[in-house]
Amino acid sequence: MFKIICKKELAQEITQITVEVPLVAKKAKAGQFVVIIIDERGERIPLTLADWDKDKGTINLIFQQVGFTTEKLGRLNPGDYIEHILGPLGHPTEVKKIGTVICIGGGVGIAEVYPVSRAFKEAGNRVIGIIGSRSKELLILEDKMRETCDELFITTDDGSYSRKGFVTDALKDLFDVVEKSTHTKYPDLVYCIGPVPMMKAVSELTKNYGIKTIVSLNPIMVDATGMCGSCRCTVGGKTVFGCVDGPDFDAHQVDFEELEKRLKLFKNQEDKIKGQS
Amino acid sequence: MRNKIPQQPAKVRIKNFFEVALGFSKSEAEKEAARCLQCKDVACVKGCPVEIDIPAFIKLIKEGKRKEAQALIKEKNNLPAICGRVCPQEDQCEATCVLNKKKIPINIGALERYAADYELNQLSVVSCQLLDKNNLKTENRQLKTDKVAVVGSGPAGLTCAADLAKMGYQVTLFESLHLPGGVLMYGIPEFRLPKKIVRNEVDYIKSLGVDIKTDTLIGNTYSLQDLFSRGSGIPPEAGKEGFQSIFIGTGAGLPQFLGIPGENLDRVYSANEFLTRVNLMKAYKFPEYATPINIGQKVVVIGGGNVAFDCARVALRLGRQVTLVYRRTENEMPARKEEIQNAKDEGVPFKILTQPIRIIDDGRGFVGGLECIAMELGEPDASGRRRPVPIKDSNFILEVDTVIVAIGQNPNPLLPKATVGLKTKEDGTIWVDENFMTSLPGVFAGGDIISGADTVISAMGAGKKAAVAIDKYIKSVTSKPVTSN
């Protein structure tokens, strides 16, 4: 049983909870995730670690209320308990000093790109952040990203805030600047996490420029310890398990179409119980 | 005549998840027990990986002493209600039973189950716990201060933990899933091994003083080094000292796939995923339970082992049309005869000498069919079974919309990968010496993680032997003066 000690509505239907999980907080590294089960009849769902405090023994989870389990999670309050939390899971993001890193987060993926950006910054890199959401009301963690990144660019699909367009538009802007200038250069690495179409678009763009790009994949999981293969993805023509081989992979090798199809496997069942939690 | 265990009729049982085998009544059990010849040279015991005193417990059953029979079994076997149900007795004790020469061996499995189920029917778990605790405290054991960590709560881990606790060690059992039991919980279906039975056996292990920590993935939540380290306070309840020794029983949980085109289509499942969703997460009760399963109407299960049969019979109980595809013939199937017969009685058709070569996309990313090739048996291979050879131009398409791949599991690679210096073999199993000690001093391993996928009872046998070796090891290191730390 893991106690929720704090809850914050970050945006419409995007919620942050702080939970006491000392063992996970102690070991957590950027890029890792946990699996939670809310109660006895709950399903196992993976959630990326948005932040953690080793001293207080707490972790932050940020989630969008999009289905049965996340809606139920969203209704829990400080003082309530989550029955099971397992973690930290997956390989941490490989963080080294390499120069300039562009960290891209889309939607609730911003929550996940934040600790990665921070880790790259702490390792001595110049970090450029690009975060995007559908509209101003759905944008989260702008302040934290601004604190962390050397430069931050924001896009909204509807233009209600900052640059109108997608994160790829902002990324292309940056590349255009490099192309025209003599004293700037292309980034050494692009790290991206968000909806699959966004990661796919970013990957296609950076591939043209030959810039190494890492994406954090979010396939469906059950045990998340390498036992079921629910999370299998194709990377470089080979089947890998998102949970134990990832979640970070070389974007240019990922079969995004397959991932998108596999993410829809339970759509009918999910629709059936959505709103009933 | 050998007395068979009564079963739910096939027509009824395919519509429910209740146990297929119903267990002996008192009179049936005593009648079967009376057939035992009480041989002096105990051939049956030699066939038992954990060396239960079989004639002795059968005699007790015959005399109506069910409780005493259970206590006697539990001296050697910590999980008798499980073994009575899932052990391949026909290859072990019943194979060596003298009466097997006349093909009428004693139904030892059913008798073990009869004795083991005693407390299920007669006593509450709580009073049993008290009974066990009192017995153990006063008679059998002196509590020690030494701590042992056991990683993985499947058959090997549960057995090792129980035996060490009986010796007086303070044992912490770590499990990555949210419920203890390993394959007994996630793998073997309810109708073959009711989860209530597993819970009951796990409660017995707890009553011996074993502390079970679920939701803890060794390799991630703690490293092996963390478990050893003194003063780390991990786990906080273990006090300031680390564990003296560690047993790894993490099993064979890595699913094998066929490596054919289309295997990542939607509605292609590994046996592990299918069974975990249905058994552990109770997807068959969706939406009462939140975990979904998405299968079509025509399911094909690929494989011929117990796991394949479990999958086929689960799919059948979910109301689906099921076909089992196997590349050799029924004779070569590694599954228990009993399970093969049960599946036949339930109406599962087998498509033998058939090798899948491609899973067809229905155009939306789902399974639209399974292309197969017919096989014939050639020369014997390394396993001694005749090798299946494809027949040229014999391709055909099975019209199915769901594929379950049940062709075996490999050792779980997570902990070896996360642990520097833990030696593994080419097949991914952890290397151990003749005393079950790994390449890391004080770290032992047993069960499927050292042998590859095998039976529940062989994992239990390894857990038992490792417990003895761990006891020896701890005694040898604690008798030496401590010079460091």
Side-chain angles (χ1 to χ4, degrees):
Chain A
M1 298 287 272
F2 302 92
K3 194 176 179 181
I4 298 174
I5 54 167
C6 184
K7 178 184 180 181
K8 240 188 209 171
E9 302 295 341
L10 297 184
Q12 192 191 341
E13 292 188 344
I14 299 180
T15 309
Q16 171 180 294
I17 51 172
T18 304
V19 193
E20 274 178 352
V21 198
L23 295 178
V24 174
K26 190 167 178 166
K27 288 275 177 168
K29 289 205 169 77
Q32 290 187 296
F33 62 97
V34 293
V35 158
I36 71 153
I37 309 173
I38 296 177
D39 56 34
E40 199 197 336
R41 294 184 176 182
E43 62 179 332
R44 299 172 70 94
I45 62 160
L47 289 172
T48 303
L49 286 160
D51 207 348
W52 51 92
D53 186 324
K54 285 182 175 33
D55 300 325
K56 290 185 185 149
T58 58
I59 61 169
N60 284 0
L61 301 173
I62 297 177
F63 54 92
Q64 196 164 10
Q65 297 182 36
V66 287
F68 180 87
T69 299
T70 45
E71 281 167 5
K72 197 166 186 173
L73 191 61
R75 281 202 303 277
L76 296 182
N77 288 306
D80 290 339
Y81 288 84
I82 295 172
E83 202 149 313
H84 302 278
I85 299 183
L86 169 69
L89 299 169
H91 291 294
T93 299
E94 195 184 328
V95 176
K96 285 187 294 199
K97 186 176 176 183
I98 43 171
T100 301
V101 181
I102 298 186
C103 291
I104 304 173
V108 75
I110 301 169
E112 298 153 355
V113 88
Y114 162 62
V116 174
S117 310
R118 188 176 59 190
F120 275 115
K121 184 67 196 163
E122 282 167 0
N125 295 287
R126 179 164 175 267
V127 177
I128 300 170
I130 302 176
I131 55 175
S133 63
R134 269 184 284 139
S135 65
K136 191 184 178 194
E137 298 76 54
L138 293 169
L139 188 74
I140 58 167
L141 301 186
E142 183 188 345
D143 295 350
K144 285 195 164 185
M145 283 300 283
R146 209 170 280 288
E147 259 169 48
T148 306
C149 300
D150 295 279
E151 281 182 80
L152 181 69
F153 300 92
I154 297 169
T155 62
T156 49
D157 298 4
D158 63 359
S160 54
Y161 185 57
S162 199
R163 191 197 194 288
K164 181 176 182 339
F166 301 120
V167 290
T168 38
D169 296 322
L171 186 62
K172 184 72 172 50
D173 291 350
L174 287 175
F175 291 165
D176 288 346
V177 171
V178 178
E179 206 171 355
K180 284 173 197 151
S181 98
T182 48
H183 59 280
T184 54
K185 61 184 192 69
Y186 289 106
D188 300 283
L189 180 74
V190 171
Y191 185 96
C192 175
I193 179 164
V196 177
M198 187 200 96
M199 292 194 285
K200 187 182 163 197
V202 167
S203 175
E204 280 166 1
L205 180 61
T206 59
K207 200 170 181 179
N208 292 335
Y209 289 83
I211 298 164
K212 189 180 173 188
T213 303
I214 300 294
V215 284
S216 175
L217 302 187
N218 56 344
I220 295 168
M221 297 183 188
V222 186
D223 66 284
T225 62
M227 277 175 39
C228 78
S230 178
C231 64
R232 60 197 191 276
C233 305
T234 300
V235 178
K238 283 190 191 142
T239 294
V240 295
F241 286 4
C243 65
V244 289
D245 298 322
D248 289 358
F249 293 100
D250 178 349
H252 300 152
Q253 304 289 323
V254 172
D255 184 341
F256 288 105
E257 286 82 12
E258 182 186 274
L259 176 63
E260 244 187 317
K261 280 180 192 160
R262 288 188 63 80
L263 281 168
K264 288 181 187 146
L265 175 56
F266 299 106
K267 201 180 171 301
N268 286 345
Q269 281 91 339
E270 281 158 8
D271 288 348
K272 194 174 156 193
I273 58 168
K274 194 174 185 257
Q276 289 177 19
S277 61
Chain B
M1 267 304 284
R2 174 179 156 101
N3 291 285
K4 281 191 187 160
I5 198 160
Q7 291 189 331
Q8 270 198 79
K11 274 184 190 161
V12 178
R13 72 190 191 226
I14 59 167
K15 296 199 168 76
N16 67 55
F17 274 82
F18 298 124
E19 199 171 9
V20 168
L22 299 171
F24 277 155
S25 66
K26 188 171 187 293
S27 64
E28 284 165 333
E30 288 173 7
K31 197 172 148 205
E32 182 65 4
R35 288 205 308 124
C36 177
L37 303 175
Q38 294 290 316
C39 311
K40 285 277 177 299
D41 78 330
V42 293
C44 52
V45 180
K46 287 166 195 158
C48 174
V50 296
E51 296 165 355
I52 296 170
D53 190 345
I54 294 166
F57 93 74
I58 291 181
K59 185 160 180 275
L60 288 168
I61 289 177
K62 188 180 136 194
E63 291 164 358
K65 295 174 182 166
R66 192 176 178 186
K67 185 178 159 193
E68 287 78 3
Q70 183 190 80
L72 186 82
I73 296 171
K74 281 198 170 176
E75 279 178 21
K76 294 279 183 172
N77 183 345
N78 298 299
L79 311 168
I82 292 168
C83 290
R85 287 171 167 82
V86 302
C87 260
Q89 290 97 9
E90 64 278 10
D91 299 327
Q92 301 177 354
C93 51
E94 292 177 18
T96 52
C97 171
V98 173
L99 290 172
N100 193 33
K101 284 175 192 158
K102 294 186 192 164
K103 301 285 169 214
I104 47 163
I106 302 293
N107 197 337
I108 300 171
L111 288 174
E112 180 181 27
R113 171 185 161 151
Y114 171 76
D117 282 357
Y118 172 70
E119 61 185 34
L120 282 180
N121 305 331
Q122 301 293 326
L123 284 171
S124 75
V125 171
V126 177
S127 60
C128 250
Q129 283 176 3
L130 288 173
L131 190 92
D132 282 326
K133 263 197 176 150
N134 292 339
N135 279 348
L136 287 160
K137 261 183 197 159
T138 50
E139 291 165 30
N140 296 338
R141 65 173 183 178
Q142 254 187 323
L143 290 175
K144 299 181 171 77
T145 54
D146 305 299
K147 300 183 182 79
V148 183
V150 174
V151 184
S153 67
L158 284 173
T159 303
C160 188
D163 276 12
L164 288 164
K166 282 176 174 173
M167 293 173 198
Y169 289 103
Q170 295 187 39
V171 183
T172 306
L173 178 52
F174 295 101
E175 168 57 48
S176 67
L177 288 171
H178 55 289
L179 296 170
V183 71
L184 307 169
M185 285 305 280
Y186 76 75
I188 305 176
E190 181 76 20
F191 57 83
R192 205 150 73 81
L193 179 62
K195 299 312 135 199
K196 183 186 161 201
I197 301 284
V198 181
R199 278 196 297 275
N200 215 64
E201 299 278 52
V202 168
D203 283 343
Y204 167 73
I205 306 277
K206 282 185 195 164
S207 78
L208 298 172
V210 174
D211 183 19
I212 301 182
K213 296 215 175 300
T214 53
D215 301 313
T216 312
L217 180 63
I218 305 303
N220 284 46
T221 316
Y222 301 116
S223 66
L224 280 192
Q225 282 72 19
D226 289 336
L227 297 178
F228 273 131
S229 61
R230 288 160 185 259
S232 65
I234 296 174
E237 302 80 20
K240 283 182 181 147
E241 299 286 320
F243 293 96
Q244 294 267 357
S245 180
I246 298 169
F247 174 78
I248 301 170
T250 47
L254 178 71
Q256 289 176 16
F257 287 93
L258 291 152
I260 61 174
E263 220 164 3
N264 291 350
L265 290 171
D266 280 342
R267 286 190 179 161
V268 180
Y269 293 93
S270 73
N272 269 4
E273 179 181 359
F274 179 68
L275 293 174
T276 300
R277 284 186 181 274
V278 179
N279 296 335
L280 180 74
M281 305 311 296
K282 306 221 181 306
Y284 68 97
K285 292 185 182 169
F286 179 87
E288 187 190 338
Y289 283 74
T291 302
I293 184 89
N294 179 354
I295 55 174
Q297 289 308 311
K298 291 179 179 173
V299 178
V300 64
V301 177
I302 301 164
N306 287 319
V307 175
F309 280 91
D310 283 346
C311 290
R313 295 170 69 203
V314 166
L316 197 69
R317 282 157 175 76
L318 293 171
R320 274 26 179 231
Q321 218 177 303
V322 187
T323 308
L324 189 128
V325 162
Y326 184 55
R327 64 194 183 123
R328 306 184 201 236
T329 71
E330 199 183 311
N331 281 333
E332 287 82 24
M333 284 183 180
R336 293 184 70 185
K337 291 259 163 356
E338 184 185 317
E339 299 308 326
I340 297 173
Q341 191 56 51
N342 281 337
K344 276 186 182 172
D345 294 347
E346 290 170 10
V348 177
F350 304 165
K351 195 124 186 71
I352 53 162
L353 290 168
T354 300
Q355 172 80 43
I357 54 172
R358 180 171 69 105
I359 304 170
I360 297 159
D361 191 333
D362 73 343
R364 299 175 303 128
F366 281 75
V367 174
L370 181 68
E371 185 177 344
C372 301
I373 190 163
M375 310 290 276
E376 57 190 355
L377 291 182
E379 295 301 307
D381 65 9
S383 72
R385 298 177 299 178
R386 291 177 66 192
R387 184 196 303 273
V389 187
I391 301 170
K392 216 181 155 198
D393 297 328
S394 64
N395 296 28
F396 62 97
I397 289 168
L398 277 181
E399 281 185 28
V400 295
D401 52 22
T402 304
V403 176
I404 299 169
V405 182
I407 55 165
Q409 294 87 235
N410 286 330
N412 209 325
L414 193 139
L415 186 54
K417 272 191 190 168
T419 308
V420 179
L422 187 64
K423 206 167 114 187
T424 53
K425 296 198 274 189
E426 246 173 49
D427 61 2
T429 54
I430 294 179
W431 177 90
V432 291
D433 67 13
E434 63 282 8
N435 295 313
F436 293 88
M437 187 141 88
T438 68
S439 53
L440 297 173
V443 179
F444 294 76
D448 283 1
I449 192 68
I450 65 161
S451 62
D454 205 336
T455 57
V456 168
I457 188 71
S458 73
M460 290 174 56
K464 272 194 107 59
K465 285 177 191 147
V468 173
I470 288 169
D471 178 46
K472 256 191 206 160
Y473 167 81
I474 291 177
K475 282 177 179 154
S476 75
V477 290
T478 49
S479 62
K480 286 179 199 156
V482 177
T483 51
S484 60
N485 289 329

